[in-house]
Amino acid sequence: MFKWLDPYAKPQRLYAVCGAWQRVLMPMAWLTLLIGVVWGLGFTPADYQQGDSYRIIHIHVPAAIWSMGAYSSMAIAAFIALVWQIKVAQWAIGAIAPIGACFTLIALFTGSFWGKPMWGTWWEWDARLTSELILLFLYVGVIALQNAFADRETGDKAASLLAMVGVVNLPIIHFSVEWWNTLHQGASITKFAKPSIDPSMLWPLLICMLAFALLLAALTCLRLRTAILQHEQHRSWVRDLAEEPTDAKV
Amino acid sequence: MSIAAVFMATFRRDLRLLARQKSDWLNPLFFFLVVLSLFPLGIGAKPNLLREIAPGIIWIAALLSVLLGAERLFKQDYRDGVLEQLVSARLPLPAYVLAKMAASWCASGLPLIIVSPLLALLLGLSESAFVAVVATLLLGTPLLTLLSALGAALTLSADKGGILLALVILPFYIPLLIFASAAVEQAAFGLPYGAQLAIIAAMLCLALALVPFAVFKALKLNVG
């Protein structure tokens, strides 16, 4: 495992690798996003029950899924950082956390806009909504902790430890919220009972999910590159890079 | 020094400190009572309403007061260099952490249980609900202490204290809040609440096994 990780642990090498990935991933992300969103919002048939307002699913569901995906990847990075003491993995946490928080916010807002015409309310204390809200709080905690220290290194380490603790707690929080919800208001669960989705609606949704995944990966590469430059700004290779304007622009 | 010796030495020292600095355990206690009496003032003192919201507000007040009490947990040892010495002396730090948390529970958890009969009077709890409050506080406050100690250790050398600690740790309190207030609610209706107590006990065991090591790790990275 360590042998496999080792080449990526070197900041300079990872900077180059992330650059290469970013050049591939970013155009793919925008392309799939464009296709998925235009197809989903413009060309799929309207739902027989929900009319046109269901179309927000193409943004809501991918954002919700990848808000959780971002947290898992953050936890994996935290695990690598804690077990193998790899610094770039710590920096990756700072790179992923704000993206994940944004995805969570998008999921919450689009869900709210969807909920208003469908359930007649902007907010419902439903298990999934509450879990997503708590996920946002966990992201905010990680980001706040990371930025709270005068010494950057300590902030990175503390944030990775918190991300690990969070991932142990996440299932407990999730199931307790679900349990709490069934105790208080069982009826709202049926609102979520999914009708099987028509293939003509499924394809754009799948493309949007892929697009959000690509976007997450591409943005992570971008942010991680910036973090590497910031942390390594006193190293000679970064200075060399800054003096070669053609290479730095990539 | 053995693990038990480190534990006992730290625990005795902290209890002695508590006996001399009375505000350390009196302040969280009064904070708890003040917060509790704010609710009837804000919502209105209708006995039925109070009885209905009592489980929730007791637990919210309890977790806030334990959280605020925990902030100073490692601060003094950090400032005067004791922690640094402990780390560099290679003493069993998890034993020190456990002793710290045990003493902290005596300062912020135990007093809440002792004044809980007062709550029953203030909020008009029935006898069965009162028993449930005591039972959930007995199992739940150690868990609160463990989690807030983790928060205190994580934010030890941070520039911003209190609010950051609350922001980081409050989401982790949610499961306990849910099960503890549900247990009290069930008891108020005369229903069995053993399942909720069992889940709280399970969470306590899990935290007791894992949190001291996470705290240990957090202290080490703050000392550097």
Side-chain angles (χ1 to χ4, degrees):
Chain A
M1 182 70 185
F2 190 79
K3 267 184 188 160
W4 180 75
L5 280 172
D6 192 43
Y8 299 100
K10 208 176 162 216
Q12 190 180 354
R13 171 113 176 79
L14 189 69
Y15 180 80
V17 170
C18 277
W21 275 106
Q22 188 199 329
R23 254 165 280 155
V24 180
L25 288 173
M26 200 60 102
M28 275 171 69
W30 288 115
L31 188 70
T32 44
L33 196 63
L34 196 70
I35 295 172
V37 168
V38 170
W39 189 0
L41 297 188
F43 295 98
T44 49
D47 189 69
Y48 78 103
Q49 218 171 16
Q50 303 192 10
D52 279 328
S53 59
Y54 94 97
R55 290 180 200 277
I56 206 164
I57 195 175
H58 298 102
I59 296 169
H60 175 71
V61 169
I65 286 177
W66 288 108
S67 68
M68 288 176 255
Y71 202 93
S72 337
S73 34
M74 204 168 78
I76 294 169
F79 184 79
I80 293 171
L82 287 175
V83 174
W84 288 287
Q85 304 283 324
I86 295 173
K87 273 185 194 168
V88 286
Q90 284 168 8
W91 304 344
I93 292 162
I96 300 171
I99 307 172
C102 279
F103 277 19
T104 316
L105 263 180
I106 292 172
L108 283 170
F109 272 102
T110 51
S112 190
F113 294 145
W114 196 5
K116 185 61 185 164
M118 286 305 109
W119 309 335
T121 169
W122 294 104
W123 182 260
E124 181 84 17
W125 285 100
D126 170 88
R128 284 203 216 180
L129 274 87
T130 314
S131 291
E132 192 74 8
L133 186 66
I134 295 167
L135 186 67
L136 180 68
F137 295 158
L138 291 177
Y139 273 125
V140 169
V142 171
I143 296 169
L145 187 63
Q146 193 183 28
N147 294 319
F149 293 84
D151 177 34
R152 199 183 211 149
E153 196 78 2
T154 315
D156 286 337
K157 282 183 189 163
S160 62
L161 193 58
L162 183 65
M164 272 316 282
V165 175
V167 90
V168 173
N169 261 283
L170 212 53
I172 302 176
I173 294 175
H174 179 77
F175 286 111
S176 59
V177 166
E178 211 148 86
W179 189 87
W180 160 78
N181 183 254
T182 47
L183 182 81
H184 284 251
Q185 35 167 319
S188 64
I189 299 292
T190 51
K191 286 175 187 165
F192 275 108
K194 258 193 191 157
S196 58
I197 188 164
D198 191 77
S200 65
M201 298 173 180
L202 183 65
W203 277 109
L205 182 60
L206 288 179
I207 291 175
C208 279
M209 281 183 196
L210 180 68
F212 270 71
L214 289 170
L215 197 62
L216 172 63
L219 288 175
T220 304
C221 284
L222 178 71
R223 287 186 56 88
L224 186 55
R225 264 158 67 96
T226 318
I228 290 173
L229 287 184
Q230 277 174 346
H231 280 90
E232 299 266 293
Q233 54 188 332
H234 303 300
R235 296 288 167 87
S236 57
W237 71 268
V238 179
R239 255 183 241 148
D240 292 344
L241 205 67
E243 279 158 18
E244 286 174 53
T246 46
D247 203 44
K249 264 182 192 162
V250 178
Chain B
M1 274 171 105
S2 73
I3 290 174
V6 171
F7 181 90
M8 281 320 290
T10 315
F11 188 61
R12 274 208 207 105
R13 168 175 159 271
D14 267 38
L15 282 189
R16 200 170 298 144
L17 283 175
L18 282 175
R20 288 181 192 166
Q21 303 169 353
K22 293 192 179 57
S23 62
D24 275 358
W25 54 273
L26 276 172
N27 288 359
L29 182 61
F30 279 105
F31 176 82
F32 178 65
L33 290 174
V34 170
V35 168
L36 268 183
S37 49
L38 288 182
F39 280 96
L41 294 171
I43 300 169
K46 302 166 197 93
N48 282 336
L49 181 68
L50 278 184
R51 217 165 290 146
E52 205 172 307
I53 59 169
I57 62 178
I58 289 172
W59 266 95
I60 289 172
L63 59 87
L64 287 179
S65 100
V66 173
L67 185 76
L68 289 184
E71 207 207 327
R72 39 144 279 281
L73 193 52
F74 300 109
K75 270 269 149 66
Q76 212 169 349
D77 285 359
Y78 174 70
R79 287 217 186 102
D80 59 19
V82 169
L83 259 178
E84 218 162 347
Q85 294 301 319
L86 278 169
V87 171
S88 55
R90 297 184 175 276
L91 287 172
L93 212 51
Y96 159 82
V97 169
L98 261 180
K100 271 283 190 192
M101 291 193 285
S104 166
W105 179 76
C106 293
S108 59
L110 195 58
L112 300 192
I113 298 168
I114 294 169
V115 298
S116 55
L118 256 180
L119 306 182
L121 290 177
L122 282 174
L123 299 170
L125 291 178
S126 64
E127 195 181 322
S128 55
F130 167 66
V131 173
V133 167
V134 174
T136 51
L137 280 176
L138 264 175
L139 282 172
T141 46
L143 182 57
L144 286 181
T145 305
L146 283 164
L147 289 174
S148 40
L150 178 61
L154 275 173
T155 58
L156 188 56
S157 66
D159 306 329
K160 303 138 192 156
I163 290 280
L164 178 70
L165 170 64
L167 203 59
V168 164
I169 287 303
L170 279 180
F172 297 131
Y173 283 166
I174 290 167
L176 177 62
L177 178 65
I178 289 173
F179 287 108
S181 48
V184 179
E185 210 168 289
Q186 299 268 79
F189 290 123
L191 298 166
Y193 53 92
Q196 284 86 341
L197 285 186
I199 290 173
I200 297 173
M203 292 194 292
L204 176 61
C205 291
L206 185 71
L208 209 54
L210 296 179
V211 167
F213 294 99
V215 173
F216 161 66
K217 183 99 191 162
L219 288 179
K220 255 173 78 174
L221 70 88
N222 271 296
V223 171

